[in-house]
């Protein structure tokens, strides 16, 4: 597959912006990508997407690990962003998540912060949104090594709660919000060794949020599920092995049987592993396949090519690529049963330092785009625009 590149300036954005076109001779579903470099960035670590200034256009919030900053990026609706007012933090910001934590209709931001001196004395800092794209500090919550954050109304009281993955303590902490950006003491859940990321989803269809956690352990990696029991209680987590060490996970109904499945990026062997959900909270080993790269610490599920089947995009840090693995559903003749499998991976973007990724319609064309942060020498925000809809 031949790839052609051109680098051109984006007009009316800034001298830091570049537009990188990627095209192929044979894959019309690949589309153009833009890379907007980040001035003075030192190590972009995480990304969150949401409308933080109320203009009905999606914006970004990134964390710069070594610069000790949280950076808002205001979208203009055409796929480019303008840097907003930075937030300086006391430590190294790792994880970030957006949510209306105080119920005022404006997105707030929670940031997982690691210690600067190597001691395991991190925190989660919560900042109140102003509605104009800026934030100001409200509260800080102690956490040893917060590697992943999530927000959801776990106890059905109409107020968003906070879920913190504490990598060093091998726990997931649930903190229930009171609507004023104050939270209860952490309710710690044993989520297996080395938890890395968390997804909140109702996997057993009882209308109670459950926690799905990746356990990043070389040689003994797994996905753990803690079921919500109602109120503020969770079951003890049950672990389900993956084929190799899995850091990043995503939850989606990939085989269209009405049950949520878990897709894991098996970081150490460059693969993808699917655990099919049984609808009761259990997971069953399913399809596997190559990711097309190495060292994926971020993946997303989306119907990228518009064929109504879930595809998986991965940011492969080890190989400096963003790849797309298209999903395939095959129905056996004379049977209602469908089998899910993966197609051959395709490269969407080549750039050293790719790290985290999110899905967003950044140019308002009602197509799902990929927003990728790069770290190191190539600190940048790259956008892979979604392809045109398939011809009917």
């Amino acid at each position: 597959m031949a790839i052609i590149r051109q680098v051109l300036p984006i007009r009316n954005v800034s001298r830091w912006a570049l537009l990188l076109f990627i095209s192929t001779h044979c894959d019309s579903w690949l589309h153009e990508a833009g890379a907007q470099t980040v001035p003075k960035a030192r190590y972009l670590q995480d990304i969150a997407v949401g409308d933080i200034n109320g203009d009905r256009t999606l914006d970004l919030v990134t964390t710069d690990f070594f610069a000790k900053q949280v950076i808002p990026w205001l979208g203009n609706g055409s796929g480019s962003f303008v840097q907003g007012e930075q937030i300086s933090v006391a430590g190294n910001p790792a994880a970030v998540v957006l949510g209306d934590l105080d119920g005022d209709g404006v997105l707030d931001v929670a940031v997982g912060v690691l210690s600067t001196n190597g001691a395991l004395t991190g925190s989660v800092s919560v900042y109140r949104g102003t509605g104009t794209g800026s934030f100001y500090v409200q509260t800080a919550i102690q956490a040893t090594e917060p590697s992943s954050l999530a927000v959801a109304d776990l106890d059905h009281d109409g107020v968003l709660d906070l879920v913190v993955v504490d990598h060093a303590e091998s726990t997931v902490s649930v903190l229930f919000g009171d609507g004023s950006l104050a939270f209860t003491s952490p309710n710690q859940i044993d989520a297996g060794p080395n938890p890395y990321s968390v997804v909140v989803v109702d996997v057993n269809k009882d209308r109670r949020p459950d926690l799905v956690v990746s356990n990043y352990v070389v040689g003994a990696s797994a996905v753990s599920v803690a079921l919500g029991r109602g109120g503020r209680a969770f079951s003890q987590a049950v672990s389900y092995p993956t084929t190799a060490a899995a850091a990043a996970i995503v939850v989606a109904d990939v085989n269209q049987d009405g049950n949520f499945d878990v897709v894991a990026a098996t970081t150490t062997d460059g693969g993808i592993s699917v655990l099919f959900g049984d609808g009761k909270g259990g997971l069953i080993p399913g399809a596997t396949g190559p990711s097309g790269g190495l060292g994926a610490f971020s993946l997303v599920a989306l119907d990228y090519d518009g064929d109504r089947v879930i595809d998986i995009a991965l940011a492969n840090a080890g190989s400096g690529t963003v790849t797309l693995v298209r999903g395939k559903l095959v129905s056996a003749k004379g049977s209602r049963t469908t089998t899910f499998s993966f197609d051959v991976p395709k490269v969407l973007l080549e750039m050293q330092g790719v790290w985290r990724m999110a899905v967003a319609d950044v140019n308002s064309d009602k197509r799902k785009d990929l927003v990728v942060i790069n770290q190191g020498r190539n600190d940048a925000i790259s956008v892979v625009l979604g392809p045109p809809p398939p011809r009917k």
Side-chain angles (χ1 to χ4, degrees), residues 240 252-257 259-263 273-279 281-288 329 338-342:
Y240 302 89
D253 180 10
V254 298
N255 60 350
Q256 299 184 10
D257 64 350
N259 301 325
F260 281 117
D261 312 305
V262 179
V263 183
S273 177
V274 178
L275 297 169
F276 292 123
D278 63 6
L283 300 175
I284 304 167
T288 61
L329 280 178
T338 57
T339 302
F340 178 83
S341 61
F342 293 113

Side-chain angles (χ1 to χ4, degrees), residues 150-333:
V151 293
D153 182 6
L154 299 173
D155 54 357
H156 295 298
D157 64 351
V159 177
L160 289 181
D161 309 305
L162 188 61
V163 183
V164 182
V165 173
D166 198 321
H167 187 71
E169 297 291 337
S170 287
T171 60
V172 174
S173 296
V174 178
L175 299 91
F176 296 97
D178 67 359
S180 67
L181 294 193
F183 296 86
T184 62
S185 298
N187 174 21
Q188 291 190 338
I189 299 170
D190 183 357
N194 291 344
Y196 190 87
S197 59
V198 62
V199 178
V200 181
V201 62
D202 179 12
V203 295
N204 60 347
K205 305 179 185 179
D206 64 355
R207 300 184 182 180
R208 298 167 181 166
D210 309 308
L211 306 179
V212 182
V213 181
S214 67
N215 301 112
Y216 185 52
V217 183
V218 176
S221 191
V223 171
S224 297
V225 179
L227 299 177
R229 294 305 191 197
R232 296 183 171 184
F234 288 86
S235 70
Q236 183 176 355
V238 177
S239 295
Y240 302 89
T242 55
T243 56
I249 56 173
V250 67
V251 177
D253 180 10
V254 298
N255 60 350
Q256 299 184 10
D257 64 350
N259 301 325
F260 281 117
D261 312 305
V262 179
V263 183
T266 50
T267 306
T268 53
D269 70 350
I272 309 174
S273 177
V274 178
L275 297 169
F276 292 123
D278 63 6
K280 301 177 182 178
L283 300 175
I284 304 167
T288 61
S291 67
L294 295 173
F297 283 88
S298 180
L299 79 166
V300 295
L302 73 165
D303 179 10
Y304 187 78
D305 52 8
D307 65 353
R308 299 183 181 181
V309 179
I310 292 293
D311 309 308
I312 304 297
L314 305 97
N316 304 294
S319 54
T321 58
V322 172
T323 53
L324 180 74
V325 185
R326 301 168 79 181
K328 298 189 299 182
L329 280 178
V330 178
S331 299
K333 188 175 182 179

